[in-house]
Amino acid sequence: MIHLPRIFLAFFAALFLTLPLHAQPGWQELGPDGGEVTAFAQDALNPMNLYVGTSNRGVFLSRDGGESWQISGLEVDQPVLGLTVGPVENPGVWATAGSSIFASFDGGTTWESTGFPPVGSVRALVAGPEYLYAGNFRGLYRLEGSTWARIGERQGFDNGSIYELQITPDGALLLASIHGLFVSDDQGDNFQPLGTGVLRDAAHVVQEPDSTALYVSTFVPRAVYKSNAARTNWRNVTATLPFQILPQGFGLTVSGLGTTLYALTVQGLLYRSSDDGESWEGVGPAPQETYGAMALRTDLADGRSLLSLGTGGLARSATQGTTWIGLNQGLHIFELSDYALAAGPTATLFASAPGGTVFRSSGDFEVWSLVAQEDLSVEAPLAVDPTDASRVYRGVSGGVQRSSDGGDTWTRSETDLICSEVNSLAVAPSNPSTLYATSYTLTSGCPSNFPEACFAHRSLDGGVTWSCTAEPGNGLGLTFRLTVDPRDDQRVYALQRARLSRTDDGGDTWTILTDDLGTLFLDFVLDPVDPDIVYLAGEDGLFRSPDGGDTWVIWDLEPSPGPFTALAVHPTVPDNLYAVAGERTLWSTDIGRTWQELPGEASRLELRAPLRILEQEAHYLYSATEGAGVVRRIVPVKTECAPDAQTLCLGGAEGNRFEVSVSWEDFQGRTGQGQGLYLPNGPGAFWFFDQDNLEMAVKVLDGRPVNGHWWVFFGALTNVEFTLTVRDTATGQVREYFNPLRNFASRGDTRAFPGSGLLPEGDAATASSRSPGDQFSSSGWLALPAGALPSGGGSLPEGGCTANGTDDALALCLAERFLVRVTWRDFQDRTGTGKAIPLTDDTGSFWFFSPDNTEMLVKVLDGRPVNGHWWVFFGSLTNVEFTLTVEDVMTGELKTYVNPLRNFASRGDTRAFDG
């Protein structure tokens, strides 16, 4: 059994009932949400259970009707074209991927192969009362026990594609194929054609509610036919539509007003009919324009709602198609072309897809907005002005588009880049009006037909106009990465698979830097602190240049982690490097000489360059993926908590993981830095004006066993304005706590820092050894004079306080006349008396549960020269109930202060006792 420190049990026992155990750190999928949905299934017995097949990530599942999604246990890189939920002998979920068919009998958590023979890709799949059926271009198959048998031969569809299989409410099997529509009433042994002469190429079947009539779409012509109840007569219900329909793009909803028929046209318009196709009403472009709808389905959970699926994921309409709501939360299957990360009050992400579509998100990245529709683009590169996050650029076919409002509106460059598919963009950080781009052509004869065509470009006016430059690498390869030196807008690096090149004159001439390295290259990055240092990932190793690529050193890595496919350097601590090698994320603290693997890797993600870190959020590493949009994770940073007179190092096994400092401003507008010292039993304290007058205490606790976070507690004995800053040296993350003037503050932040668990205990840089009673001086550690900070538990000072004869461990004697006690009650209704530790003549502390865990500070000041009273200040580092009693032993007067359960208390009573 794991025994937690008593403090956790006392303060936060309730958390164990409500908070999950902290998951192993790893990659967080940010999106954009959505992506190409290739198959859909809804559990008829539990309609809140939805399943979607994707183009490259397998199957996702939802347990709440599409409000949120998670990836299932089936992760395959082939499109899932068939999905069904079946009331067969062993009810399950079934999915096709390529020529394989998989089954899950636990709702999609785990999957197993059904042993389908490799006889071609399977698109059609359905589960009947007794059998599972699968169809492809070779014919129809039935799962009999654990064996697949080919059935229905010589029925007219055995030598052509089967597009769809369905089970009718009466148990019949419907089969739509290139040769028409067929029905079997004997579990697939025999079939009869339906709609002979009309349904020559059947695509999708929908049964009318409360009837045996069928709606069937066809490829030729692109239309929908409806049968009578006997299925002997058929009528084209889309004959009056002005456009052809998408084969899967029709559906039904049922309400008190009757049945409504919907159709998506090849032009991307949605129509509806309430009179069974006699007349049609145009609804508008949704959901095709916004969600890329290619198919419509009736929502079994609510027959009045319509579902759409396609290249933009899923959406639902409960308003007869007039408005649509995306159902893509957590559905991360976005085919990413490029992403750009912009700094600001909060980080902003831009992500582009093939074709040029651009999405934007900021803050927690849970909500994404479509800010640019498709504009013919193969590569769709992005770039953001590093000084202005609202200025965004995207490359399209034949030019560059720019936005000055964060992507809400776009303007195309005035200069056409003839024959150019723009594939890389870069903005010069030191002069953001200077941009560089490279491109290529898809037409072999383009340069001869257009002699002015070129494939390297420069803009000096923020992307409005462009001019040709020389091509990197002498035009011998495709440039896929451009990086501008942050100090010099004329120095640019260009990466090709076979070479890295540099220009020092804005692209007029280029120098190849890697002729002698003899390998292919996958990524490169500049040191953000010293951009002359260049790291280059090659298939044969990792290279480092100290002089802008003029000379190189290859690190001898043993054992070799394999080829690095992506690199990043920490923006402020450049000894820390991060890399992707295969499915692993690696971390180096010594400029790449040695590497260790970070925990919590997700093999389901195929990571790729670029890797990026923002200086303002230097604990987050971002990465591109294949098919899952943008991801990020917390990463460690190897640094040292540097103690000095104004900086404390707290928390962690060695007590030195978190760097703590405080700045203040008093009532006269004077400012300063708090001076730090350590209290005898663990926490830190700061004084502002006099080292004998402590103003606040701070402690950092390891709350990861409870809620996966480090906790920060502080209690103030002052009402001047202050800002407390705590930095996690293991991740670089910073938390600031502000207290306004005239306020007494205590706080417990139980989610202060995510518990990355990335540094083994004791792995952080070790500060100089110290003992209780030490404090910092500007030159290092300085022991306080003997007796200045007693170690605790000793005799009370001689004088008035001793007259009470109280137990010296349970009370403080402050200012030689005030006896201070505290009693407490915790969350389990247990009670006790605080144990006292005197600190200075007028200040002391109490612990409740453990001697090394201070819970509150108290001080008594002689304020008689100001207002004729003694003052009492206290600050708590706990939210248990307590009662603080202060007795003036000279007069017998008592003051009592009560703090209720779950409250953090600080107070300054400047009229506590008469002088």
Side-chain angles (χ1 to χ4, degrees):
M1 178 180 292
I2 298 175
H3 295 279
L4 294 175
R6 190 178 178 191
I7 181 175
F8 294 143
L9 300 176
F11 286 176
F12 297 97
L15 289 175
F16 286 105
L17 302 177
T18 59
L19 292 172
L21 292 178
H22 183 51
Q24 184 70 278
W27 290 98
Q28 174 192 5
E29 298 179 42
L30 303 179
D33 296 327
E36 186 177 4
V37 171
T38 53
F40 173 81
Q42 189 169 17
D43 188 342
L45 298 178
N46 187 353
M48 299 302 285
N49 290 346
L50 308 182
Y51 303 87
V52 295
T54 69
S55 58
N56 54 11
R57 294 204 69 196
V59 174
F60 280 71
L61 58 92
S62 173
R63 303 295 190 214
D64 51 17
E67 295 299 321
S68 62
W69 293 86
Q70 65 188 79
I71 195 166
S72 78
L74 182 62
E75 302 173 50
V76 290
D77 56 7
Q78 293 177 300
V80 174
L81 300 179
L83 265 178
T84 188
V85 180
V88 292
E89 291 181 356
N90 295 311
V93 187
W94 312 81
T96 73
S99 60
S100 298
I101 299 177
F102 301 91
S104 173
F105 300 106
D106 54 13
T109 302
T110 60
W111 296 78
E112 59 189 54
S113 174
T114 64
F116 189 78
V119 290
S121 179
V122 179
R123 174 182 296 272
L125 191 68
V126 72
E130 296 185 32
Y131 298 106
L132 180 71
Y133 302 91
N136 62 9
F137 69 92
R138 294 197 175 193
L140 180 65
Y141 298 82
R142 184 172 64 197
L143 182 59
E144 300 174 353
S146 59
T147 304
W148 286 94
R150 187 175 179 186
I151 62 174
E153 294 183 67
R154 296 180 299 279
Q155 296 291 329
F157 53 77
D158 59 315
N159 61 347
S161 292
I162 296 176
Y163 298 121
E164 188 170 274
L165 295 168
Q166 283 198 27
I167 300 294
T168 66
D170 59 2
L173 174 64
L174 292 174
L175 183 152
S177 80
I178 195 173
H179 296 297
L181 181 66
F182 299 82
V183 63
S184 173
D185 295 316
D186 56 9
Q187 298 169 337
D189 290 333
N190 296 281
F191 284 85
Q192 298 295 324
L194 296 174
T196 304
V198 177
L199 309 177
R200 294 186 295 272
D201 196 351
H204 176 46
V205 184
V206 174
Q207 184 156 319
E208 187 177 45
D210 303 321
S211 170
T212 56
L214 300 176
Y215 294 86
V216 182
S217 65
T218 59
F219 284 101
V220 181
R222 289 183 176 249
V224 177
Y225 294 84
K226 183 187 178 183
S227 76
N228 59 0
R231 303 171 184 171
T232 55
N233 295 318
W234 297 81
R235 177 174 63 88
N236 184 348
V237 296
T238 54
T240 60
L241 267 178
F243 304 107
Q244 292 184 325
I245 72 159
L246 295 171
Q248 297 281 322
F250 78 96
L252 302 173
T253 61
V254 180
S255 66
L257 301 176
T259 299
T260 304
L261 180 64
Y262 302 85
L264 277 173
T265 70
V266 294
Q267 285 76 17
L269 300 175
L270 179 66
Y271 287 80
R272 67 187 175 206
S273 172
S274 58
D275 54 13
D276 221 8
E278 294 294 335
S279 62
W280 290 87
E281 173 191 7
V283 181
Q288 171 74 348
E289 182 177 283
T290 305
Y291 297 103
M294 301 295 290
L296 298 177
R297 297 289 184 269
T298 303
D299 186 351
L300 300 181
D302 178 6
R304 297 168 297 179
S305 295
L306 196 65
L307 298 173
S308 76
L309 53 146
T311 57
L314 264 74
R316 176 188 287 120
S317 175
T319 58
Q320 292 192 309
T322 304
T323 58
W324 293 82
I325 297 175
L327 302 178
N328 294 318
Q329 180 69 39
L331 190 59
H332 297 313
I333 51 176
F334 182 75
E335 187 177 356
L336 181 69
S337 284
D338 195 10
Y339 77 97
L341 188 59
T346 60
T348 300
L349 267 175
F350 297 89
S352 64
T357 303
V358 180
F359 293 85
R360 179 188 65 212
S361 185
S362 59
D364 55 13
F365 306 119
E366 290 187 358
V367 178
W368 288 81
S369 301
L370 179 68
V371 295
Q373 296 283 5
E374 289 194 11
D375 187 336
L376 185 59
S377 177
V378 177
E379 304 289 345
L382 294 172
V384 179
D385 184 336
T387 65
D388 184 355
S390 65
R391 301 191 67 84
V392 191
Y393 302 86
R394 67 167 175 163
V396 296
S397 298
V400 174
Q401 292 192 346
R402 66 190 187 279
S403 172
S404 59
D405 52 18
D408 291 333
T409 60
W410 297 83
T411 304
R412 192 180 180 93
S413 57
E414 295 179 3
T415 305
D416 290 330
L417 308 184
I418 300 171
C419 300
S420 287
E421 294 292 335
V422 177
N423 70 318
S424 64
L425 282 171
V427 182
S430 63
N431 183 8
S433 62
T434 299
L435 286 81
Y436 296 88
T438 61
S439 60
Y440 61 89
T441 181
L442 296 175
T443 306
S444 59
C446 186
S448 59
N449 295 331
F450 297 93
E452 68 273 28
C454 64
F455 305 106
H457 320 272
R458 176 180 61 215
S459 174
L460 301 178
D461 53 13
V464 178
T465 61
W466 293 82
S467 60
C468 286
T469 66
E471 291 187 50
N474 298 325
L476 298 178
L478 185 66
T479 298
F480 63 91
R481 184 70 47 76
L482 288 173
T483 299
V484 185
D485 188 313
R487 307 160 302 181
D488 183 356
D489 65 351
Q490 298 293 295
R491 173 172 277 203
V492 189
Y493 295 84
L495 184 64
Q496 300 166 328
R497 290 300 179 202
R499 60 192 62 82
L500 177 69
S501 303
R502 186 188 75 216
T503 178
D504 295 317
D505 53 18
D508 292 337
T509 60
W510 292 86
T511 301
I512 297 175
L513 306 173
T514 55
D515 275 347
D516 298 331
L517 300 185
T519 186
L520 296 178
F521 304 108
L522 305 173
D523 197 17
F524 88 106
V525 65
L526 305 183
D527 183 324
V529 177
D530 182 1
D532 285 333
I533 298 174
V534 185
Y535 294 92
L536 180 60
E539 288 188 346
D540 298 330
L542 181 66
F543 301 86
R544 183 179 189 270
S545 172
D547 49 20
D550 292 336
T551 61
W552 295 93
V553 175
I554 184 171
W555 294 137
D556 184 15
L557 302 179
E558 293 293 341
S560 174
F564 293 112
T565 56
L567 293 172
V569 181
H570 194 274
T572 58
V573 191
D575 287 353
N576 290 256
L577 274 62
Y578 310 90
V580 172
E583 296 178 348
R584 300 176 299 156
T585 308
L586 305 179
W587 171 42
S588 171
T589 62
D590 53 9
I591 64 174
R593 291 189 178 94
T594 61
W595 295 84
Q596 58 183 295
E597 186 172 352
L598 295 181
E601 291 312 292
S603 60
R604 66 184 57 172
L605 296 172
E606 187 176 344
L607 306 173
R608 61 175 173 84
L611 299 179
R612 294 192 171 112
I613 307 176
L614 282 178
E615 184 173 349
Q616 74 187 82
E617 292 185 340
H619 55 290
Y620 279 130
L621 177 68
Y622 293 78
S623 176
T625 68
E626 291 292 342
V630 183
V631 297
R632 75 175 179 185
R633 64 164 297 153
I634 293 175
V635 290
V637 183
K638 181 75 169 186
T639 128
E640 295 183 359
C641 179
D644 57 33
Q646 299 168 345
T647 306
L648 298 177
C649 296
L650 301 174
E654 303 297 327
N656 59 0
R657 173 165 172 165
F658 294 89
E659 193 174 79
V660 184
S661 61
V662 63
S663 60
W664 55 264
E665 180 176 342
D666 68 10
F667 289 85
Q668 287 75 45
R670 296 172 298 188
T671 60
Q673 289 292 123
Q675 306 299 300
L677 55 84
Y678 291 96
L679 301 184
N681 55 343
F686 289 94
W687 58 269
F688 295 172
F689 312 106
D690 184 335
Q691 75 173 35
D692 292 328
N693 184 17
L694 301 183
E695 306 291 356
M696 64 185 307
V698 186
K699 65 182 178 184
V700 181
L701 299 179
D702 187 356
R704 290 177 296 178
V706 178
N707 70 341
H709 286 70
W710 290 88
W711 303 348
V712 173
F713 296 81
F714 66 88
L717 306 174
T718 180
N719 64 345
V720 303
E721 178 182 304
F722 65 80
T723 299
L724 178 69
T725 302
V726 185
R727 185 174 76 91
D728 185 351
T729 64
T731 66
Q733 192 172 15
V734 175
R735 287 284 183 268
E736 288 190 345
Y737 305 93
F738 174 74
N739 179 67
L741 208 61
R742 294 184 173 82
N743 185 60
F744 286 91
S746 283
R747 182 171 176 186
D749 183 356
T750 58
R751 300 186 66 86
F753 296 93
S756 65
L758 295 168
L759 284 179
E761 291 298 339
D763 188 54
T766 303
S768 303
S769 61
R770 65 175 184 266
S771 61
D774 286 351
Q775 73 167 8
F776 293 119
S777 71
S778 59
S779 59
W781 293 98
L782 176 67
L784 288 175
L789 265 176
S791 59
S795 300
L796 288 170
E798 295 181 0
C801 289
T802 59
N804 281 30
T806 186
D807 183 350
D808 61 357
L810 301 179
L812 291 171
C813 181
L814 302 180
E816 297 186 348
R817 65 179 278 182
F818 294 95
L819 197 64
V820 183
R821 302 180 182 87
V822 63
T823 59
W824 54 265
R825 181 174 69 90
D826 70 9
F827 289 86
Q828 284 82 42
D829 208 33
R830 294 173 296 193
T831 61
T833 301
K835 306 302 190 296
I837 300 179
L839 301 175
T840 68
D841 289 344
D842 55 26
T843 306
S845 66
F846 288 94
W847 60 268
F848 296 171
F849 310 107
S850 172
D852 59 357
N853 189 19
T854 296
E855 306 294 355
M856 64 184 305
L857 258 65
V858 184
K859 70 179 177 182
V860 178
L861 297 181
D862 186 356
R864 289 175 295 178
V866 178
N867 69 344
H869 288 75
W870 289 89
W871 301 349
V872 173
F873 296 82
F874 65 89
S876 69
L877 305 173
T878 179
N879 65 346
V880 303
E881 178 184 303
F882 64 81
T883 299
L884 178 70
T885 301
V886 184
E887 177 186 358
D888 185 345
V889 298
M890 293 183 63
T891 66
E893 186 180 0
L894 288 175
K895 295 288 289 189
T896 301
Y897 307 91
V898 178
N899 178 64
L901 208 62
R902 294 183 174 84
N903 184 60
F904 287 91
S906 281
R907 183 171 176 185
D909 184 355
T910 59
R911 302 183 67 85
F913 294 95
D914 292 335

